[in-house]
Amino acid sequence: MTDDPRRLVLVASNRGPVSFGFAADGSLISRRGGGGMVSGMTSGLTAAARHDDVLWICAALSDADRAVARQDPGGTRPDGEVPVRMLDIPPRMFSGAYNGVANSVLWFTHHMLFDTPNQPRFGPRFRQHWDSYVAYNERFAAALAEEAAAAVLPPASALIQDYHLALAPRLLREARLDVRIAHFSHTPWAPPAYYRLLPDDVAGAVLDGVLGADHAGFLARRWAGAFLDCCEAVLGADVERDCTGDGAAGRVAYRGHTTEVAVHPLGVDAPALRARAREYDVEAHAAALAEATRGRKLIVRIDRTELSKNIVRGLDAYRELLATRPQWRGQVTHLAFAYPSRSELAEYRAYTERVHEIAREINEEFGTDDWEPLILDLKDDYPRSLAACRIADVLLVNPIRDGMNLVAEEGPILSGRACALVLSREAGAAAVLADNALLVNPFDVSATADAMHEALTMSAAERQRRCAGLAATAASLAPGRWLADQLSALRAAP
Ligand code: F6P
Protein backbone atom coordinates (compact mmCIF):
# COMPACT_ATOMS: atom_id res chain seq x y z
CA MET A 1 0.00 0.00 0.00
CA THR A 2 1.22 3.48 -0.74
CA ASP A 3 -0.04 6.81 0.57
CA ASP A 4 1.24 8.70 -2.48
CA PRO A 5 -1.40 11.11 -3.77
CA ARG A 6 -3.15 10.17 -7.00
CA ARG A 7 -1.82 11.98 -10.04
CA LEU A 8 -3.51 12.50 -13.39
CA VAL A 9 -2.44 10.33 -16.34
CA LEU A 10 -3.96 11.21 -19.71
CA VAL A 11 -3.73 8.93 -22.72
CA ALA A 12 -4.50 10.13 -26.24
CA SER A 13 -4.91 7.85 -29.24
CA ASN A 14 -6.98 7.64 -32.39
CA ARG A 15 -8.66 4.34 -31.51
CA GLY A 16 -9.91 3.96 -27.97
CA PRO A 17 -10.62 0.98 -25.73
CA VAL A 18 -14.31 0.96 -26.60
CA SER A 19 -16.47 1.76 -29.61
CA PHE A 20 -20.26 1.94 -29.79
CA GLY A 21 -22.87 0.75 -32.23
CA PHE A 22 -26.67 0.98 -32.32
CA ALA A 23 -28.75 -2.11 -31.62
CA ALA A 24 -31.92 -2.74 -33.68
CA ASP A 25 -34.00 -0.99 -31.00
CA GLY A 26 -31.77 2.11 -31.17
CA SER A 27 -30.00 1.42 -27.87
CA LEU A 28 -26.22 1.61 -27.61
CA ILE A 29 -24.06 -1.49 -27.63
CA SER A 30 -20.34 -1.31 -26.87
CA ARG A 31 -17.50 -3.43 -28.20
CA ARG A 32 -13.81 -3.60 -27.35
CA GLY A 33 -11.40 -1.59 -29.55
CA GLY A 34 -9.01 -3.74 -31.62
CA GLY A 35 -5.27 -3.78 -32.29
CA GLY A 36 -2.02 -4.13 -30.40
CA MET A 37 -1.87 -0.60 -29.04
CA VAL A 38 -5.39 -0.78 -27.60
CA SER A 39 -4.88 -4.15 -25.89
CA GLY A 40 -1.47 -3.21 -24.42
CA MET A 41 -2.64 0.21 -23.28
CA THR A 42 -5.92 -1.08 -21.82
CA SER A 43 -4.06 -3.60 -19.74
CA GLY A 44 -1.31 -1.12 -18.73
CA LEU A 45 -3.76 1.61 -17.85
CA THR A 46 -5.96 -0.70 -15.81
CA ALA A 47 -2.89 -1.40 -13.66
CA ALA A 48 -2.02 2.34 -13.47
CA ALA A 49 -5.59 3.19 -12.39
CA ARG A 50 -4.92 1.47 -9.06
CA HIS A 51 -2.72 4.36 -7.95
CA ASP A 52 -3.36 7.24 -10.39
CA ASP A 53 -6.39 8.94 -11.92
CA VAL A 54 -6.55 8.01 -15.59
CA LEU A 55 -8.47 9.29 -18.58
CA TRP A 56 -8.23 8.02 -22.16
CA ILE A 57 -9.01 10.53 -24.92
CA CYS A 58 -9.79 9.02 -28.32
CA ALA A 59 -11.61 9.88 -31.54
CA ALA A 60 -15.28 9.01 -32.00
CA LEU A 61 -15.03 6.47 -34.83
CA SER A 62 -18.64 5.47 -35.50
CA ASP A 63 -21.94 7.37 -35.68
CA ALA A 64 -22.85 5.85 -32.33
CA ASP A 65 -19.52 7.07 -30.87
CA ARG A 66 -20.36 10.56 -32.12
CA ALA A 67 -23.78 10.37 -30.50
CA VAL A 68 -22.12 9.42 -27.21
CA ALA A 69 -19.58 12.24 -27.57
CA ARG A 70 -22.35 14.78 -28.29
CA GLN A 71 -24.42 13.75 -25.30
CA ASP A 72 -21.52 14.71 -23.06
CA PRO A 73 -19.14 16.88 -25.14
CA GLY A 74 -16.78 18.15 -22.45
CA GLY A 75 -17.14 15.39 -19.92
CA THR A 76 -15.86 11.90 -19.43
CA ARG A 77 -17.70 8.67 -19.79
CA PRO A 78 -16.70 5.82 -17.51
CA ASP A 79 -16.83 2.55 -19.36
CA GLY A 80 -15.38 -0.58 -17.89
CA GLU A 81 -12.30 0.19 -15.90
CA VAL A 82 -10.81 3.08 -17.85
CA PRO A 83 -12.74 6.36 -18.19
CA VAL A 84 -12.94 7.49 -21.80
CA ARG A 85 -13.59 10.83 -23.47
CA MET A 86 -14.42 10.62 -27.16
CA LEU A 87 -13.76 13.58 -29.40
CA ASP A 88 -16.47 14.38 -31.92
CA ILE A 89 -14.23 15.16 -34.88
CA PRO A 90 -16.07 16.19 -38.08
CA PRO A 91 -16.13 13.16 -40.46
CA ARG A 92 -14.34 15.02 -43.28
CA MET A 93 -11.53 16.15 -41.01
CA PHE A 94 -11.29 12.67 -39.52
CA SER A 95 -11.09 10.98 -42.91
CA GLY A 96 -8.42 13.39 -44.22
CA ALA A 97 -6.31 12.84 -41.10
CA TYR A 98 -6.85 9.08 -40.64
CA ASN A 99 -7.10 7.81 -44.23
CA GLY A 100 -5.42 10.62 -46.16
CA VAL A 101 -2.34 11.15 -43.99
CA ALA A 102 -1.96 8.68 -41.12
CA ASN A 103 -2.78 5.41 -42.89
CA SER A 104 -1.91 6.13 -46.51
CA VAL A 105 1.19 8.27 -46.01
CA LEU A 106 2.78 7.94 -42.54
CA TRP A 107 1.97 4.22 -42.16
CA PHE A 108 3.29 3.52 -45.67
CA THR A 109 6.43 5.52 -44.92
CA HIS A 110 7.32 3.83 -41.64
CA HIS A 111 6.54 0.35 -43.01
CA MET A 112 8.26 1.19 -46.32
CA LEU A 113 5.24 0.03 -48.34
CA PHE A 114 5.16 2.46 -51.27
CA ASP A 115 5.31 1.14 -54.82
CA THR A 116 7.86 3.91 -55.47
CA PRO A 117 7.75 4.05 -59.29
CA ASN A 118 4.12 5.20 -58.87
CA GLN A 119 3.58 6.33 -55.29
CA PRO A 120 3.62 8.59 -53.34
CA ARG A 121 2.61 11.73 -55.25
CA PHE A 122 2.13 14.79 -53.11
CA GLY A 123 -0.19 17.34 -54.75
CA PRO A 124 -3.14 19.58 -53.83
CA ARG A 125 -5.23 16.67 -52.55
CA PHE A 126 -2.54 15.66 -50.12
CA ARG A 127 -2.34 19.28 -48.93
CA GLN A 128 -6.06 19.22 -48.09
CA HIS A 129 -5.54 16.03 -46.12
CA TRP A 130 -2.54 17.51 -44.38
CA ASP A 131 -4.65 20.49 -43.24
CA SER A 132 -7.11 17.97 -41.77
CA TYR A 133 -4.28 16.15 -40.04
CA VAL A 134 -3.07 19.41 -38.45
CA ALA A 135 -6.62 20.30 -37.34
CA TYR A 136 -7.21 16.77 -35.96
CA ASN A 137 -3.99 17.02 -33.92
CA GLU A 138 -5.08 20.46 -32.68
CA ARG A 139 -8.36 18.96 -31.41
CA PHE A 140 -6.50 16.37 -29.37
CA ALA A 141 -3.97 18.88 -28.03
CA ALA A 142 -6.79 21.21 -26.95
CA ALA A 143 -8.63 18.38 -25.16
CA LEU A 144 -5.44 17.29 -23.41
CA ALA A 145 -4.69 20.87 -22.34
CA GLU A 146 -8.21 21.26 -20.99
CA GLU A 147 -8.06 18.02 -18.99
CA ALA A 148 -4.56 18.78 -17.71
CA ALA A 149 -5.75 22.17 -16.43
CA ALA A 150 -8.26 20.36 -14.23
CA ALA A 151 -5.61 18.15 -12.54
CA VAL A 152 -5.98 18.31 -8.76
CA LEU A 153 -2.29 17.63 -8.32
CA PRO A 154 -0.33 19.11 -11.26
CA PRO A 155 1.62 18.35 -13.34
CA ALA A 156 -0.47 15.89 -15.33
CA SER A 157 1.25 13.33 -17.55
CA ALA A 158 0.04 13.04 -21.14
CA LEU A 159 0.86 9.83 -23.02
CA ILE A 160 0.25 10.45 -26.72
CA GLN A 161 0.12 7.38 -28.96
CA ASP A 162 1.23 6.73 -32.48
CA TYR A 163 1.63 8.30 -35.91
CA HIS A 164 -1.93 9.67 -35.97
CA LEU A 165 -0.88 12.14 -33.30
CA ALA A 166 2.67 13.09 -34.25
CA LEU A 167 1.98 16.83 -34.03
CA ALA A 168 0.06 16.77 -30.75
CA PRO A 169 3.07 16.76 -28.38
CA ARG A 170 4.40 20.06 -29.77
CA LEU A 171 0.91 21.61 -29.86
CA LEU A 172 0.28 20.59 -26.26
CA ARG A 173 3.64 21.96 -25.13
CA GLU A 174 2.79 25.28 -26.76
CA ALA A 175 -0.55 25.32 -24.90
CA ARG A 176 0.72 24.22 -21.47
CA LEU A 177 4.30 24.25 -20.33
CA ASP A 178 3.61 22.36 -17.11
CA VAL A 179 2.39 19.04 -18.59
CA ARG A 180 4.79 16.10 -18.74
CA ILE A 181 4.45 14.81 -22.29
CA ALA A 182 5.35 11.41 -23.74
CA HIS A 183 4.88 10.19 -27.29
CA PHE A 184 4.94 6.49 -28.12
CA SER A 185 5.34 4.98 -31.60
CA HIS A 186 3.76 1.53 -32.01
CA THR A 187 5.08 1.31 -35.56
CA PRO A 188 8.59 1.07 -36.94
CA TRP A 189 10.30 4.35 -37.86
CA ALA A 190 11.66 4.75 -41.38
CA PRO A 191 15.37 5.31 -42.02
CA PRO A 192 16.24 8.83 -43.29
CA ALA A 193 16.60 7.87 -46.97
CA TYR A 194 13.03 6.54 -47.00
CA TYR A 195 11.60 9.07 -44.56
CA ARG A 196 12.68 11.78 -47.00
CA LEU A 197 10.02 10.66 -49.47
CA LEU A 198 7.76 12.94 -47.41
CA PRO A 199 7.55 16.58 -48.52
CA ASP A 200 10.30 18.48 -46.68
CA ASP A 201 7.95 20.60 -44.56
CA VAL A 202 5.89 17.55 -43.56
CA ALA A 203 9.00 15.51 -42.72
CA GLY A 204 10.19 18.37 -40.52
CA ALA A 205 6.80 18.99 -38.89
CA VAL A 206 6.32 15.33 -37.90
CA LEU A 207 9.75 15.14 -36.23
CA ASP A 208 9.31 18.54 -34.61
CA GLY A 209 5.87 17.45 -33.38
CA VAL A 210 7.23 14.36 -31.62
CA LEU A 211 10.12 16.41 -30.20
CA GLY A 212 7.55 18.53 -28.38
CA ALA A 213 7.47 15.55 -25.97
CA ASP A 214 9.79 15.09 -23.00
CA HIS A 215 9.98 11.39 -23.70
CA ALA A 216 9.68 9.59 -27.05
CA GLY A 217 9.22 5.83 -26.77
CA PHE A 218 9.69 3.04 -29.32
CA LEU A 219 9.15 -0.71 -29.27
CA ALA A 220 12.60 -1.65 -30.55
CA ARG A 221 16.09 -0.19 -30.63
CA ARG A 222 16.05 -0.19 -34.46
CA TRP A 223 13.05 2.13 -34.60
CA ALA A 224 14.44 4.47 -31.95
CA GLY A 225 17.75 4.55 -33.81
CA ALA A 226 16.04 5.43 -37.10
CA PHE A 227 14.16 8.24 -35.35
CA LEU A 228 17.43 9.65 -33.98
CA ASP A 229 18.98 9.38 -37.46
CA CYS A 230 16.03 11.29 -38.97
CA CYS A 231 16.27 14.03 -36.32
CA GLU A 232 19.91 14.50 -37.24
CA ALA A 233 19.59 14.20 -41.02
CA VAL A 234 16.31 16.08 -41.55
CA LEU A 235 16.29 18.67 -38.75
CA GLY A 236 20.02 18.99 -38.09
CA ALA A 237 19.11 18.46 -34.42
CA ASP A 238 21.70 17.79 -31.76
CA VAL A 239 21.56 14.01 -31.20
CA GLU A 240 23.26 11.95 -28.48
CA ARG A 241 23.17 8.13 -28.66
CA ASP A 242 23.40 5.74 -25.69
CA CYS A 243 24.95 2.43 -26.55
CA THR A 244 24.57 1.00 -23.06
CA GLY A 245 21.98 1.31 -20.31
CA ASP A 246 18.62 -0.17 -19.62
CA GLY A 247 16.76 0.43 -22.82
CA ALA A 248 17.79 4.11 -23.17
CA ALA A 249 18.42 5.03 -26.79
CA GLY A 250 19.55 8.65 -26.52
CA ARG A 251 18.33 12.21 -26.51
CA VAL A 252 17.63 15.00 -28.97
CA ALA A 253 18.12 18.68 -28.25
CA TYR A 254 16.08 20.87 -30.58
CA ARG A 255 14.54 24.33 -30.29
CA GLY A 256 15.79 24.73 -26.72
CA HIS A 257 14.18 21.52 -25.45
CA THR A 258 15.55 18.03 -24.84
CA THR A 259 13.60 14.86 -25.60
CA GLU A 260 14.68 11.55 -24.06
CA VAL A 261 14.38 8.75 -26.62
CA ALA A 262 13.90 5.28 -25.13
CA VAL A 263 12.99 1.70 -25.96
CA HIS A 264 10.09 -0.01 -24.19
CA PRO A 265 9.27 -3.41 -25.73
CA LEU A 266 5.70 -4.48 -25.09
CA GLY A 267 4.68 -7.99 -24.07
CA VAL A 268 1.56 -9.67 -22.77
CA ASP A 269 -0.40 -9.92 -19.51
CA ALA A 270 0.05 -13.69 -19.43
CA PRO A 271 -2.24 -14.59 -16.47
CA ALA A 272 -5.13 -12.53 -17.88
CA LEU A 273 -4.68 -13.93 -21.38
CA ARG A 274 -4.50 -17.53 -20.14
CA ALA A 275 -7.61 -17.01 -18.03
CA ARG A 276 -9.50 -15.61 -21.03
CA ALA A 277 -8.40 -18.55 -23.17
CA ARG A 278 -9.87 -21.01 -20.65
CA GLU A 279 -13.38 -19.60 -21.06
CA TYR A 280 -16.16 -21.62 -22.60
CA ASP A 281 -16.33 -19.83 -25.98
CA VAL A 282 -12.61 -20.44 -26.61
CA GLU A 283 -12.91 -24.10 -25.56
CA ALA A 284 -15.80 -24.52 -28.00
CA HIS A 285 -13.84 -22.95 -30.88
CA ALA A 286 -10.77 -25.08 -30.09
CA ALA A 287 -12.88 -28.24 -30.23
CA ALA A 288 -14.53 -27.16 -33.52
CA LEU A 289 -11.19 -26.29 -35.15
CA ALA A 290 -9.62 -29.57 -34.04
CA GLU A 291 -12.61 -31.43 -35.45
CA ALA A 292 -12.42 -29.54 -38.78
CA THR A 293 -8.70 -30.24 -39.17
CA ARG A 294 -8.97 -33.87 -38.01
CA GLY A 295 -5.78 -34.22 -36.01
CA ARG A 296 -3.52 -32.85 -38.76
CA LYS A 297 -0.55 -30.60 -37.98
CA LEU A 298 -1.63 -26.95 -37.91
CA ILE A 299 0.19 -23.91 -39.23
CA VAL A 300 -1.63 -20.83 -37.93
CA ARG A 301 -1.44 -17.13 -38.77
CA ILE A 302 -3.60 -14.35 -37.28
CA ASP A 303 -3.44 -10.85 -38.70
CA ARG A 304 -5.41 -7.90 -39.88
CA THR A 305 -5.57 -8.00 -43.70
CA GLU A 306 -2.78 -5.48 -43.75
CA LEU A 307 -0.19 -4.89 -46.45
CA SER A 308 2.67 -4.88 -43.95
CA LYS A 309 1.67 -8.32 -42.59
CA ASN A 310 2.90 -10.02 -45.78
CA ILE A 311 0.02 -12.48 -46.01
CA VAL A 312 0.47 -13.01 -49.75
CA ARG A 313 4.10 -14.16 -49.43
CA GLY A 314 3.11 -16.29 -46.43
CA LEU A 315 0.55 -18.12 -48.58
CA ASP A 316 3.10 -18.44 -51.38
CA ALA A 317 5.50 -20.04 -48.91
CA TYR A 318 2.82 -22.55 -47.84
CA ARG A 319 2.18 -23.36 -51.50
CA GLU A 320 5.93 -23.93 -51.98
CA LEU A 321 6.02 -26.17 -48.89
CA LEU A 322 3.31 -28.39 -50.36
CA ALA A 323 4.91 -28.35 -53.82
CA THR A 324 8.46 -29.18 -52.72
CA ARG A 325 7.69 -31.49 -49.77
CA PRO A 326 4.84 -33.72 -50.95
CA GLN A 327 5.06 -35.66 -47.67
CA TRP A 328 3.05 -32.86 -46.04
CA ARG A 329 0.10 -33.16 -48.42
CA GLY A 330 -2.86 -34.39 -46.46
CA GLN A 331 -0.88 -34.14 -43.22
CA VAL A 332 -1.04 -30.41 -42.53
CA THR A 333 -3.63 -27.62 -42.57
CA HIS A 334 -2.93 -23.90 -42.73
CA LEU A 335 -5.40 -21.80 -40.73
CA ALA A 336 -5.06 -18.24 -41.98
CA PHE A 337 -7.15 -15.67 -40.13
CA ALA A 338 -6.97 -12.31 -41.87
CA TYR A 339 -9.40 -9.85 -40.36
CA PRO A 340 -10.83 -6.89 -42.31
CA SER A 341 -8.89 -3.67 -42.01
CA ARG A 342 -8.89 -0.14 -43.46
CA SER A 343 -11.23 -1.04 -46.30
CA GLU A 344 -11.64 2.68 -47.14
CA LEU A 345 -8.22 2.44 -48.84
CA ALA A 346 -8.11 0.98 -52.38
CA GLU A 347 -4.74 -0.71 -51.72
CA TYR A 348 -6.29 -2.71 -48.87
CA ARG A 349 -9.27 -3.79 -50.94
CA ALA A 350 -6.99 -4.96 -53.75
CA TYR A 351 -4.76 -6.77 -51.27
CA THR A 352 -7.72 -8.59 -49.72
CA GLU A 353 -8.75 -9.72 -53.22
CA ARG A 354 -5.26 -11.06 -53.87
CA VAL A 355 -5.30 -13.00 -50.58
CA HIS A 356 -8.60 -14.62 -51.58
CA GLU A 357 -7.29 -15.45 -55.03
CA ILE A 358 -4.15 -17.22 -53.79
CA ALA A 359 -6.12 -19.13 -51.18
CA ARG A 360 -8.47 -20.38 -53.91
CA GLU A 361 -5.51 -21.39 -56.08
CA ILE A 362 -3.86 -23.37 -53.28
CA ASN A 363 -7.03 -25.28 -52.46
CA GLU A 364 -7.68 -25.98 -56.14
CA GLU A 365 -4.14 -27.16 -56.77
CA PHE A 366 -3.67 -29.42 -53.73
CA GLY A 367 -7.09 -30.04 -52.16
CA THR A 368 -8.61 -33.53 -52.18
CA ASP A 369 -12.03 -34.91 -51.25
CA ASP A 370 -11.04 -35.29 -47.64
CA TRP A 371 -8.40 -32.58 -47.21
CA GLU A 372 -8.72 -28.80 -47.44
CA PRO A 373 -5.10 -27.58 -47.31
CA LEU A 374 -5.93 -23.99 -46.41
CA ILE A 375 -8.72 -22.53 -44.30
CA LEU A 376 -8.84 -18.78 -44.87
CA ASP A 377 -11.23 -16.79 -42.72
CA LEU A 378 -11.71 -13.05 -42.80
CA LYS A 379 -14.22 -12.76 -39.97
CA ASP A 380 -12.90 -11.02 -36.87
CA ASP A 381 -13.45 -13.46 -34.03
CA TYR A 382 -11.32 -12.95 -30.92
CA PRO A 383 -12.19 -16.18 -29.04
CA ARG A 384 -11.58 -18.21 -32.17
CA SER A 385 -8.15 -16.57 -32.58
CA LEU A 386 -7.28 -17.54 -29.03
CA ALA A 387 -8.43 -21.08 -29.75
CA ALA A 388 -6.22 -21.25 -32.87
CA CYS A 389 -3.22 -20.14 -30.78
CA ARG A 390 -3.93 -22.93 -28.31
CA ILE A 391 -3.87 -25.70 -30.90
CA ALA A 392 -1.22 -24.41 -33.36
CA ASP A 393 1.84 -26.58 -34.04
CA VAL A 394 3.47 -23.76 -35.99
CA LEU A 395 2.76 -20.05 -35.71
CA LEU A 396 3.66 -17.98 -38.77
CA VAL A 397 4.37 -14.27 -38.21
CA ASN A 398 6.14 -12.93 -41.29
CA PRO A 399 5.54 -9.15 -41.57
CA ILE A 400 7.47 -6.99 -44.01
CA ARG A 401 8.01 -4.63 -41.07
CA ASP A 402 6.16 -4.43 -37.77
CA GLY A 403 6.52 -2.26 -34.67
CA MET A 404 6.45 -5.31 -32.36
CA ASN A 405 3.76 -7.93 -33.19
CA LEU A 406 1.80 -9.20 -30.23
CA VAL A 407 0.57 -12.39 -31.94
CA ALA A 408 4.17 -13.66 -31.87
CA GLU A 409 4.06 -13.26 -28.08
CA GLU A 410 0.49 -14.35 -27.38
CA GLY A 411 0.80 -17.57 -29.40
CA PRO A 412 3.52 -19.21 -27.27
CA ILE A 413 1.81 -18.07 -24.04
CA LEU A 414 -1.41 -19.83 -25.06
CA SER A 415 0.08 -22.81 -26.82
CA GLY A 416 -1.14 -26.19 -25.64
CA ARG A 417 1.06 -28.01 -28.18
CA ALA A 418 4.34 -26.11 -27.63
CA CYS A 419 4.17 -24.31 -30.96
CA ALA A 420 7.22 -23.44 -33.01
CA LEU A 421 7.39 -19.78 -34.08
CA VAL A 422 8.44 -18.78 -37.60
CA LEU A 423 9.13 -15.08 -37.22
CA SER A 424 10.13 -12.29 -39.59
CA ARG A 425 13.44 -10.70 -38.66
CA GLU A 426 11.80 -7.37 -39.55
CA ALA A 427 9.29 -7.52 -36.67
CA GLY A 428 10.22 -5.52 -33.57
CA ALA A 429 9.45 -8.70 -31.57
CA ALA A 430 12.46 -10.38 -33.21
CA ALA A 431 14.73 -8.26 -31.01
CA VAL A 432 13.46 -10.07 -27.90
CA LEU A 433 12.33 -13.46 -29.31
CA ALA A 434 15.21 -14.23 -31.71
CA ASP A 435 16.85 -16.93 -29.54
CA ASN A 436 13.83 -19.20 -29.56
CA ALA A 437 12.17 -18.41 -32.90
CA LEU A 438 13.02 -19.51 -36.44
CA LEU A 439 13.85 -16.14 -37.99
CA VAL A 440 13.16 -15.52 -41.67
CA ASN A 441 13.72 -12.81 -44.24
CA PRO A 442 10.07 -11.97 -45.01
CA PHE A 443 10.79 -11.38 -48.71
CA ASP A 444 12.36 -14.82 -49.14
CA VAL A 445 9.43 -17.12 -49.89
CA SER A 446 11.62 -20.23 -50.27
CA ALA A 447 13.39 -19.59 -46.96
CA THR A 448 9.97 -19.16 -45.30
CA ALA A 449 8.84 -22.52 -46.75
CA ASP A 450 12.07 -24.10 -45.44
CA ALA A 451 11.42 -22.61 -41.99
CA MET A 452 7.86 -24.02 -41.98
CA HIS A 453 9.30 -27.45 -42.77
CA GLU A 454 11.90 -27.11 -40.03
CA ALA A 455 9.20 -26.03 -37.58
CA LEU A 456 6.98 -28.98 -38.51
CA THR A 457 9.81 -31.48 -38.06
CA MET A 458 11.34 -30.01 -34.91
CA SER A 459 11.59 -32.51 -32.05
CA ALA A 460 9.03 -32.26 -29.26
CA ALA A 461 11.77 -31.54 -26.69
CA GLU A 462 13.19 -28.69 -28.79
CA ARG A 463 9.74 -27.20 -29.31
CA GLN A 464 8.99 -27.39 -25.60
CA ARG A 465 12.24 -25.64 -24.73
CA ARG A 466 11.81 -22.89 -27.30
CA CYS A 467 8.12 -22.30 -26.64
CA ALA A 468 8.72 -22.00 -22.89
CA GLY A 469 11.48 -19.46 -23.59
CA LEU A 470 9.24 -17.43 -25.90
CA ALA A 471 6.38 -17.41 -23.38
CA ALA A 472 8.69 -16.39 -20.53
CA THR A 473 10.07 -13.46 -22.52
CA ALA A 474 6.61 -12.26 -23.58
CA ALA A 475 5.30 -12.51 -20.00
CA SER A 476 8.29 -10.58 -18.64
CA LEU A 477 7.32 -7.53 -20.73
CA ALA A 478 3.81 -7.23 -19.28
CA PRO A 479 1.85 -4.07 -20.23
CA GLY A 480 1.56 -2.94 -16.59
CA ARG A 481 5.33 -2.74 -16.37
CA TRP A 482 5.63 -1.29 -19.89
CA LEU A 483 3.41 1.63 -18.90
CA ALA A 484 4.88 2.04 -15.41
CA ASP A 485 8.41 2.25 -16.89
CA GLN A 486 7.31 5.01 -19.26
CA LEU A 487 5.59 6.93 -16.50
CA SER A 488 8.58 6.79 -14.19
CA ALA A 489 10.95 7.78 -17.01
CA LEU A 490 8.63 10.67 -17.85
CA ARG A 491 8.32 11.84 -14.26
CA ALA A 492 12.10 11.58 -13.81
CA ALA A 493 12.81 13.64 -16.96
CA PRO A 494 14.46 16.99 -16.19
O1 F6P B 1 0.55 -0.47 -34.85
C1 F6P B 1 -0.12 0.69 -34.65
C2 F6P B 1 -1.59 0.51 -34.52
O2 F6P B 1 -2.15 1.68 -34.01
C3 F6P B 1 -1.96 -0.71 -33.64
O3 F6P B 1 -2.65 -0.35 -32.55
C4 F6P B 1 -2.88 -1.54 -34.45
O4 F6P B 1 -2.34 -2.77 -34.70
C5 F6P B 1 -3.13 -0.78 -35.70
O5 F6P B 1 -2.19 0.25 -35.78
C6 F6P B 1 -4.54 -0.32 -35.70
O6 F6P B 1 -4.89 0.26 -36.84
P1 F6P B 1 -6.34 0.83 -37.07
O7 F6P B 1 -6.70 1.61 -35.84
O8 F6P B 1 -6.20 1.66 -38.28
O9 F6P B 1 -7.21 -0.35 -37.24
Side-chain angles (χ1 to χ4, degrees):
M1 281 298 285
T2 167
D3 291 332
D4 282 354
R6 296 175 74 83
R7 291 177 283 182
L8 179 61
V9 177
L10 301 168
V11 170
S13 66
N14 175 66
R15 192 176 288 280
V18 66
S19 183
F20 293 92
F22 290 117
D25 64 359
S27 63
L28 284 172
I29 40 175
S30 66
R31 57 178 180 270
R32 148 191 195 280
M37 183 280 294
V38 166
S39 70
M41 184 56 83
T42 303
S43 174
L45 214 51
T46 305
R50 290 185 205 121
H51 39 81
D52 285 320
D53 292 330
V54 302
L55 173 66
W56 191 330
I57 300 176
C58 62
L61 301 178
S62 63
D63 290 343
D65 288 349
R66 288 198 180 87
V68 169
R70 277 174 208 149
Q71 273 166 23
D72 192 5
T76 62
R77 184 190 164 86
D79 235 299
E81 297 181 44
V82 179
V84 178
R85 173 175 167 189
M86 289 187 172
L87 302 184
D88 178 16
I89 294 174
R92 220 177 126 84
M93 183 195 292
F94 177 82
S95 174
Y98 177 70
N99 294 314
V101 176
N103 285 347
S104 54
V105 175
L106 298 180
W107 180 273
F108 273 59
T109 302
H110 291 316
H111 291 84
M112 306 206 303
L113 293 175
F114 286 119
D115 164 26
T116 48
N118 301 299
Q119 295 289 344
R121 291 181 227 189
F122 298 111
R125 202 169 149 65
F126 169 74
R127 287 293 156 182
Q128 282 168 8
H129 292 153
W130 179 249
D131 290 346
S132 295
Y133 183 80
V134 174
Y136 166 99
N137 273 261
E138 285 168 350
R139 292 287 178 107
F140 271 85
L144 285 165
E146 189 185 313
E147 297 294 345
V152 178
L153 183 69
S157 299
L159 310 177
I160 300 172
Q161 307 302 302
D162 252 336
Y163 55 101
H164 314 88
L165 292 172
L167 308 183
R170 172 69 64 196
L171 293 164
L172 177 57
R173 174 162 301 285
E174 281 165 1
R176 288 194 71 88
L177 272 176
D178 62 324
V179 182
R180 298 259 157 169
I181 307 171
H183 184 273
F184 199 91
S185 292
H186 294 265
T187 58
W189 196 276
Y194 203 90
Y195 186 77
R196 282 185 144 151
L197 291 178
L198 294 172
D200 291 352
D201 61 322
V202 170
V206 166
L207 291 168
D208 177 57
V210 175
L211 292 176
D214 301 294
H215 186 86
F218 294 87
L219 290 165
R221 221 167 239 281
R222 273 177 82 184
W223 318 140
F227 175 76
L228 293 172
D229 293 345
C230 285
C231 289
E232 203 164 42
V234 175
L235 296 178
D238 197 354
V239 169
E240 228 181 276
R241 288 177 181 78
D242 283 342
C243 299
T244 56
D246 188 14
R251 55 204 59 77
V252 183
Y254 187 62
R255 292 176 61 187
H257 173 70
T258 299
T259 304
E260 291 288 327
V261 177
V263 181
H264 300 278
L266 175 61
V268 177
D269 180 345
L273 187 68
R274 286 196 183 109
R276 177 67 187 89
R278 282 193 295 269
E279 284 179 29
Y280 171 76
D281 53 353
V282 180
E283 294 284 354
H285 278 297
L289 286 172
E291 166 74 23
T293 51
R294 298 206 207 135
R296 295 186 173 97
K297 294 253 186 197
L298 288 186
I299 302 176
V300 169
R301 75 171 306 137
I302 301 162
D303 293 295
R304 292 184 295 117
T305 313
E306 160 59 56
L307 279 64
S308 65
K309 301 294 182 189
N310 208 20
I311 300 169
V312 167
R313 284 193 194 84
L315 295 181
D316 274 344
Y318 181 60
R319 170 156 49 192
E320 188 168 325
L321 175 83
L322 297 179
T324 58
R325 276 110 171 163
Q327 69 268 32
W328 289 119
R329 295 183 199 164
Q331 304 301 314
V332 66
T333 301
H334 185 13
L335 284 181
F337 295 159
Y339 303 141
S341 182
R342 303 183 187 170
S343 49
E344 300 85 355
L345 300 184
E347 291 90 340
Y348 283 67
R349 293 195 296 275
Y351 193 75
T352 306
E353 258 315 294
R354 183 78 191 114
V355 167
H356 271 294
E357 202 175 288
I358 299 190
R360 249 190 328 266
E361 287 168 12
I362 291 174
N363 279 332
E364 273 166 23
E365 189 177 345
F366 298 102
T368 62
D369 287 346
D370 63 356
W371 173 53
E372 192 181 8
L374 172 69
I375 300 176
L376 171 72
D377 204 319
L378 276 75
K379 192 171 145 280
D380 188 354
D381 189 328
Y382 183 62
R384 194 188 49 175
S385 299
L386 299 181
C389 285
R390 276 181 40 178
I391 61 173
D393 295 285
V394 177
L395 185 64
L396 174 63
V397 179
N398 66 323
I400 289 172
R401 263 163 96 78
D402 210 334
M404 189 78 195
N405 197 296
L406 289 186
V407 175
E409 301 185 293
E410 289 165 347
I413 283 179
L414 294 178
S415 184
R417 294 192 191 175
C419 72
L421 174 65
V422 175
L423 177 63
S424 164
R425 66 188 185 195
E426 305 302 321
V432 291
L433 301 180
D435 288 352
N436 290 307
L438 298 173
L439 289 192
V440 290
N441 168 356
F443 299 97
D444 191 338
V445 171
S446 300
T448 307
D450 292 346
M452 284 180 186
H453 176 71
E454 192 183 339
L456 286 167
T457 49
M458 192 181 279
S459 73
E462 174 81 354
R463 273 166 49 151
Q464 283 285 358
R465 186 185 64 74
R466 286 180 180 245
C467 187
L470 293 165
T473 303
S476 73
L477 304 169
R481 186 182 146 193
W482 170 78
L483 196 72
D485 284 352
Q486 288 176 66
L487 272 174
S488 29
L490 181 61
R491 286 168 178 162

